[in-house]
Amino acid sequence: MTAAEVALLGIRHHGPGSARAVAAALARWRPDAVLIEGPPEADGLVHLAAEKDLVPPVALLAHAVDDPAKAAFWPYAEFSPEWVAIRHAVEHDLPVRFIDLPAGYGFAPEAPAEEEPEEPDGPEEPDEPVADPLALLAEAAGHDDPERWWEDVVEHRAPGTDPLAPFAAVAEAMGALRAEGLGESRRDRLREAYMRQQVRAARRAGYRRIAVVCGAFHVPALERMPTVAHDRALLAELPKKVRTDITWVPWTHRRLSRATGYGAGVPSPGWYHHLFTTDGDPVPRWLTRAAELLRAEDHPVSSAHVIEAVRLAETLAALRGRPLAGLTETLDAARAVLCEGSDVALELVRDRLVVGDRLGGVPDAAPAVPLRRDLTRLQRSLRLRPEAVPKDVDLDLRKENDAARSRLLHRLRLLGVDWGVPARSPVNSTGTFRESWRLCWQPEFAVRIAEAAQWGTTVEEAATNKAVGTARAAEELAELTGLVETCLLAGLSGALPAVMRVLADCAALDTDVAHLVGALPALVRALRYGDVRGTDHGALAEAASGLAERICVGLPPACVGLDARGAAAMRGRLDEVHGAIGLLAGTAVTAGPAAGPEPGPDGPDGPDRPGDSDGLAGRWAAALRSLARREPTGGPATGAPGLLRGRAVRLLLDDGRLDSEEAGRRLRLVLSVANAPADAAGWVEGFLAGGGALLLHDPRLLALLDEWLTGVSDEAFTDVLPLLRRTFAGLEAGVRTTIGGRVAAGPLGEPPAFRAPAGELDRARADAAVPVLALLLGVRPTIPRQAAGRDT
C-alpha cells in the first residue's frame, strides 16, 4: 500500500471553512477509514454521534480514574472539522479512530528532573510552541491580522472543483514553516510519532483509502514517514500511562472562545457557527439577527437600518480589498448604523451573537458516573434545565417542588458545583420562605461532579458524606456553624447529628470570644428555617443559647485594648450578634440564673426598662451596659475603644433600654475636654452608625456635637477629621443635607438668624463678607455706619 492512498486533510480547529472543505473532500474521495486527531480512549464513544440527542457543542472529557481533578477536554462545535468527519464516518458506516497521544500520558506525574550537564550540547527544547503558525504565515503574506488573513484565504472561499487542493496548499505553507523549525515543540514530536504509528496500523489493517483529519501544523510530519524504530525511540520517552475514563459532556460556545483561556479556541464561535450553517451571503442574515436582538433590548432599529448596514459592510470590504465582508466589516457597520455609534449596544451584539451561549446536549447512553445520572434525574423531575445563559429563579419554599429545588441547589454548592448562586430578589421580603437564585451551567461542572463522586452515588448521599468530612476537618467554630446552616438549607438530616457533635465539642473548647461572636449569627439564621423547612431545631436552639450566654459574659472584657482595625471588625460582629440575640430571645429557651439587678435610676447607667434583667435579652443588655462603661481611664489599652462604647449606647437606645436624656448625658460626658478627641470621634462614629436621624429629632444631641467640634484644637481637629468624614459619609444624603442646613442657619439651640425678605439685600450677611474681599483686594475695609445695623 502506497502513501498516495492516505489523504492528509490539514485543518484549523473550529474553522468553518476547514469544516466545509473536509465535508467536500470526504464526499468526493470516499475513504475506507477515517482517522481523526483526538484521544484514542474515545474510540468506543464515536457511535454516539449517531444519536440525535448528541447535539454540539459537546466535548470529550477524560479524567484520571484515581484523581478526577486531573482532566482534559476536547471540544467540538457544529463547525469543527473533526465533528464533520465524525458525522460523515458514522452516517456512512465507516471505521473511525482517534490517533492523537492517549490522554492517560498527559495525566502521568512528571518525572524527576535529572541533573543537567555543566555544558549542554545545544539549546533546550521548548515544551510548548514558540510561535503561532498562522501569525507567521499572515506576516509572510503581508497581513498584520492572522484572523482576517485566514478568513480571506480559507473561511470565505467555497470548495472548488478539486476538494483536496486547499489542503495541499495549506500543507505546502506549513511545510515551509516546519522546514525552518518554527513553532515546533517536544510534545508535538511525541504526538506526531504516535499519529504515524496509528497510520501504519490502519495500513496493516488493509484499508486502501485512509483519510487523516488533523491540525494543519502536523501534516508535514505525517507526509514524511521516518522509520518505525525512530518513532518507537521517541515514544519510549513517555511516562507510564494513567488509567483514564472518558465520556461526552455538554459544551458552550462561550467556552470555545479564546478569551476563556482555551488555547485552540476561536475569537468568535457564534459568528463561525453562522458562517457554517448559512447558505449564500451570511452578512444580511447576521445583521438581521443583530437587529432583532437590539429591538428586543428596546433599541430603535428598523429594516432600513439593516439594509444600510449591509451596504456599508460590503463597501468597507471592497475598500479594504477583501473578497467578502468579514466580521470586522460587519461589526463596523453594526456600530455605525444599528447601534448609532454606541459601544454599549455593540458589546451586547458581541456577547450574544459573536460569542453566544449555545449549549450542547448529551444522550443518556453516554457513560457517566452514578452521581451524574442522579443529578440528571433530579433536574428532569424538578424541571430545572441546565442552561448556559444566566437565569434568575425565585423559589417559594412553601411549595414542595420549590423546596426540593432549593435543597438540590444547596447540596450542589456543598459539593462545589455552583450551578446556582444566591441572588438578591427584586421582591423585597425579609421572610424565610422565599429564595432567589441565579442559575448558569458551566461545562467544567462535569469535572467537579466526577470529583464529588467519591462521596456517594446520589446527590444527597454525596452531600451528606461531604458535610461530615468537612466538619471533622474544620478548625474554626464559625466554619462549623456555617456548615450547620448549610446542612439545614440542604435538608441533610443524616449529616446534622454528626456535625452538631463536632460543633458542641469545638464550642466547649473554644475560649476566644471573637470566634463565638462570629459563630452565633449563622446558628440563629439556621433556627429561622425550622418552621418553613420542617426541621427539628431543638439541638440548635440549645447550642445557640449556650453560645449567647458565653458571649454575654465574655464580650465586655474581650473588647478592652482593641486597636482601630480590631474595633472596626468587632463593631460589625456586635451588630450581627445584637440582631441574632433579638431573634433568639423569642425562640430559644435559656437556662441559668438571671443576671443581677441593674443599677437604678440614680446609678451611673440611668433608668432601666421593667424586666430588663429577665431572660437572654436582659443579660445581653447588661453586657452592652458593661461595655459602654469601660472607658479608658489610664490610656487606650485600659478600656474599650470609643467606637464600641458608642455603638453599645446606640443599640441600647434603639431597643428602648436607654432614653434620649440618658444618651445625651453620655454624649456630653464623652465630648468633654477630659476625653481624648480621637476617642470621642470614635464614640460618635459608633453612636451614629445606625443612622443620623436622631440628631434631627433631638436638637440637643446635635448642639452638643456642634459645640464639641467647634471647640476642638487645630491639631486635634486634623487627627479626628478622617473619622468624622467617615461617620457623616455613612449617613443618609437627606440627613446630611438637613444637618448642614441647621448648622449653617446659626448657633444651634437659638432662634434662627434674621433673613431678609426675598428680593431685598441682607446687609448684615453682605457686610460679613467685606473683610475677606478687602483682604483679597489688598485694601482697608470700610463699612458704612448706617450698614452696621439692620431694620427690624
Side-chain angles (χ1 to χ4, degrees):
M1 188 171 294
T2 63
E5 294 175 331
V6 176
L8 299 176
L9 308 182
I11 52 93
R12 183 193 185 188
H13 302 293
H14 315 305
S18 294
R20 285 193 298 267
V22 166
L26 293 178
R28 179 74 64 86
W29 203 62
R30 296 182 181 180
D32 298 330
V34 178
L35 308 183
I36 301 173
E37 179 184 336
E41 293 95 336
D43 286 348
L45 302 179
V46 175
H47 69 280
L48 293 175
E51 298 281 345
K52 64 178 181 179
D53 292 332
L54 187 63
V55 181
V58 291
L60 288 168
L61 163 62
H63 64 83
V65 174
D66 298 330
D67 187 3
K70 294 180 178 179
F73 295 97
W74 286 262
Y76 302 111
E78 188 172 353
F79 51 84
S80 298
E82 299 94 332
W83 179 256
V84 171
I86 291 173
R87 290 290 303 169
H88 177 89
V90 171
E91 291 173 359
H92 293 81
D93 197 21
L94 299 177
V96 56
R97 298 289 184 269
F98 288 103
I99 62 172
D100 204 348
L101 201 63
Y105 289 122
F107 302 145
E110 296 183 1
E114 298 181 357
E115 185 177 354
E116 297 183 358
E118 296 182 0
E119 296 183 0
D121 296 334
E124 183 180 356
E125 295 183 357
D127 289 334
E128 299 296 334
V130 296
D132 179 11
L134 288 186
L136 295 174
L137 291 175
E139 183 180 358
H143 288 257
D144 58 353
D145 188 343
E147 294 294 333
R148 187 165 54 190
W149 172 80
W150 183 261
E151 282 188 352
D152 289 345
V153 300
V154 176
E155 306 299 347
H156 290 167
R157 296 187 183 276
T161 56
D162 183 3
L164 298 181
F167 298 107
V170 172
E172 182 181 358
M174 291 297 173
L177 288 179
R178 297 295 294 264
E180 298 294 333
L182 298 176
E184 293 186 358
S185 71
R186 174 178 174 274
R187 179 170 177 79
D188 282 331
R189 283 189 281 276
L190 290 173
R191 294 172 61 197
E192 290 160 357
Y194 192 88
M195 292 181 192
R196 289 191 292 265
Q197 292 284 61
Q198 299 307 304
V199 173
R200 295 187 183 105
R203 286 176 170 175
R204 291 194 301 268
Y207 299 118
R208 296 180 302 170
R209 302 169 69 86
I210 304 170
V212 179
V213 179
C214 63
F217 182 76
H218 304 299
V219 169
L222 301 184
E223 283 181 331
R224 296 183 297 272
M225 284 283 200
T227 63
V228 176
H230 174 272
D231 288 340
R232 286 178 178 174
L234 278 176
L235 296 176
E237 303 175 9
L238 290 171
K240 183 179 179 180
K241 185 166 63 173
V242 174
R243 194 159 58 97
T244 306
D245 278 345
I246 193 166
T247 186
W248 290 105
V249 295
W251 206 250
T252 66
H253 275 179
R254 190 169 300 278
R255 297 298 296 177
L256 276 173
S257 173
R258 184 178 300 164
T260 62
Y262 173 40
V266 291
S268 49
W271 168 257
Y272 277 10
H273 177 84
H274 179 77
L275 290 180
F276 183 72
T277 57
T278 302
D279 296 328
D281 190 354
V283 175
R285 296 188 182 183
W286 193 87
L287 288 172
T288 301
R289 292 176 56 201
E292 293 175 355
L293 172 64
L294 292 172
R295 280 198 295 266
E297 298 294 332
D298 295 330
H299 290 273
V301 180
S302 66
S303 57
H305 286 82
V306 177
I307 295 172
E308 190 60 33
V310 172
R311 290 175 177 171
L312 179 57
E314 294 173 348
T315 303
L316 289 174
L319 290 173
R320 295 169 181 173
R322 307 193 65 183
L324 289 174
L327 179 60
T328 303
E329 290 73 30
T330 306
L331 286 178
D332 288 345
R335 176 194 283 112
V337 182
L338 303 185
C339 303
E340 297 181 344
S342 171
D343 288 334
V344 175
L346 183 66
E347 189 60 33
L348 176 66
V349 174
R350 287 182 183 274
D351 185 69
R352 300 282 185 84
L353 297 183
V354 177
V355 177
D357 289 301
R358 183 181 294 269
L359 176 66
V362 174
D364 294 336
V369 295
L371 179 61
R372 172 66 195 184
R373 294 192 182 280
D374 184 62
L375 175 58
T376 301
R377 178 186 62 81
L378 291 172
Q379 288 170 335
R380 290 176 179 173
S381 64
L382 298 178
R383 298 186 296 278
L384 273 178
R385 180 181 178 184
E387 296 180 358
V389 181
K391 177 183 179 182
D392 292 332
V393 176
D394 289 327
L395 302 180
D396 186 345
L397 303 183
R398 296 169 296 185
K399 299 179 180 179
E400 183 178 354
N401 190 67
D402 281 2
R405 288 178 170 183
S406 173
R407 289 193 295 269
L408 173 62
L409 295 174
H410 281 293
R411 290 171 181 176
L412 290 177
R413 280 176 60 81
L414 184 59
L415 294 173
V417 182
D418 293 332
W419 176 24
V421 178
R424 182 181 297 274
S425 173
V427 180
N428 292 325
S429 174
T430 58
T432 58
F433 65 87
R434 179 184 296 276
E435 281 185 351
S436 296
W437 295 83
R438 170 157 291 188
L439 306 183
C440 184
W441 186 264
Q442 301 293 338
E444 56 266 26
F445 291 160
V447 177
R448 299 180 188 175
I449 293 172
E451 291 182 84
Q454 62 178 308
W455 297 105
T457 57
T458 67
V459 175
E460 182 177 3
E461 179 187 4
T464 298
N465 294 334
K466 176 70 178 297
V468 175
T470 303
R472 291 171 178 170
E475 298 180 355
E476 297 289 339
L477 185 60
E479 182 181 357
L480 284 170
T481 55
L483 184 60
V484 169
E485 181 182 10
T486 301
C487 288
L488 283 175
L489 294 171
L492 300 178
S493 57
L496 199 55
V499 177
M500 287 300 301
R501 285 194 297 270
V502 178
L503 172 64
D505 294 342
C506 185
L509 298 175
D510 199 331
T511 58
D512 192 333
V513 176
H515 292 170
L516 303 180
V517 169
L520 181 63
L523 271 184
V524 176
R525 285 196 304 267
L527 281 172
R528 299 181 66 200
Y529 307 130
D531 296 334
V532 174
R533 300 174 184 270
T535 54
D536 181 12
H537 51 69
L540 283 179
E542 183 179 353
S545 298
L547 286 181
E549 296 288 353
R550 294 174 62 187
I551 290 172
C552 290
V553 175
L555 179 66
C559 294
V560 173
L562 292 177
D563 58 9
R565 180 176 298 180
M570 184 61 76
R571 200 220 84 186
R573 294 171 181 169
L574 195 66
D575 289 344
E576 293 180 356
V577 171
H578 183 75
I581 289 181
L583 294 172
L584 186 61
T587 57
V589 179
T590 59
E598 294 293 312
D602 297 331
D605 291 329
D608 288 339
R609 193 175 65 179
D612 197 34
S613 62
D614 297 331
L616 179 60
R619 288 189 283 279
W620 174 244
L624 291 177
R625 292 178 182 278
S626 177
L627 175 59
R629 289 196 299 266
R630 293 180 180 268
E631 299 179 358
T633 56
T638 62
L643 177 68
L644 299 181
R645 303 198 322 273
R647 191 67 193 141
V649 172
R650 178 59 185 270
L651 294 177
L652 291 169
L653 178 64
D654 289 346
D655 274 1
R657 297 181 182 273
L658 284 181
D659 55 26
S660 58
E661 182 177 353
E662 173 64 16
R665 185 183 73 84
R666 289 176 178 273
L667 178 61
R668 188 179 302 109
L669 291 175
V670 168
L671 300 182
S672 64
V673 295
N675 284 342
D679 183 74
W683 198 99
V684 171
E685 180 183 0
F687 185 70
L688 297 181
L694 59 87
L695 295 179
L696 303 180
H697 299 310
D698 194 341
R700 294 174 300 172
L701 298 179
L702 182 59
L704 286 172
L705 186 59
D706 180 60
E707 180 182 356
W708 167 76
L709 187 58
T710 55
V712 172
S713 65
D714 294 344
E715 295 181 358
F717 181 79
T718 303
D719 294 336
V720 302
L721 182 59
L723 293 175
L724 294 175
R725 280 182 172 174
R726 184 173 62 203
T727 299
F728 283 92
L731 302 182
E732 301 88 340
V735 172
R736 292 200 305 268
T737 302
T738 305
I739 290 176
R742 290 189 179 181
V743 172
L748 297 174
E750 298 181 3
F754 171 80
R755 290 185 178 275
E760 296 184 10
L761 176 64
D762 189 337
R763 293 186 176 275
R765 298 179 66 191
D767 293 342
V770 170
V772 177
L773 291 175
L775 179 62
L776 294 175
L777 298 175
V779 298
R780 177 175 297 179
T782 57
I783 302 177
R785 182 177 299 276
Q786 62 270 21
R790 66 168 181 259
D791 296 333
T792 58

